[in-house]
Amino acid sequence: MDSTFNWKPEQTLLEKAINLASKRGQSPESIVSEAVRLYLETQLLEPVDNGLSDPLIGLFAGTPNLAINSEDILQQEITEKSGWTWK
């Protein structure tokens, strides 16, 4: 593995890092180091187990088979005044 690192950031990113560093009273290098550290921490997290239940499932009232029976449910809800009308 080559230990050299040749990074030439986009000018806009460099300017944003310099501006943020100036506002915080830090060096641009410390801002970039912090950003890279935070990025790596999020990328190295263990993958989410899709087998776990989604906490939002069941949060809203409705039938659990809405996707399967959507057409039937809509048909049951139709009244004479449902939909668009001509005036």
Side-chain angles (χ1 to χ4, degrees):
M1 178 179 198
D2 190 4
S3 62
T4 61
F5 183 69
N6 186 15
W7 179 56
K8 297 200 184 327
E10 296 174 23
Q11 187 62 34
T12 55
L13 289 177
L14 184 58
E15 290 170 3
K16 288 179 181 182
I18 291 170
N19 288 335
L20 182 59
S22 176
K23 288 179 185 177
R24 289 187 174 183
Q26 295 176 288
S27 69
E29 294 83 3
S30 68
I31 295 296
V32 171
S33 293
E34 179 183 353
V36 170
R37 184 174 26 261
L38 291 172
Y39 174 79
L40 291 174
E41 285 175 4
T42 61
Q43 295 301 308
L44 296 174
L45 291 175
E46 291 184 27
V48 175
D49 183 4
N50 290 334
L52 297 177
S53 177
D54 186 338
L56 293 179
I57 292 176
L59 181 63
F60 303 100
T63 177
N65 55 358
L66 178 62
I68 297 168
N69 297 330
S70 61
E71 293 297 322
D72 295 333
I73 294 168
L74 288 172
Q75 189 67 34
Q76 292 171 4
E77 298 293 324
I78 292 176
T79 66
E80 188 175 314
K81 296 185 178 186
S82 296
W84 296 94
T85 61
W86 293 97
K87 291 188 177 185

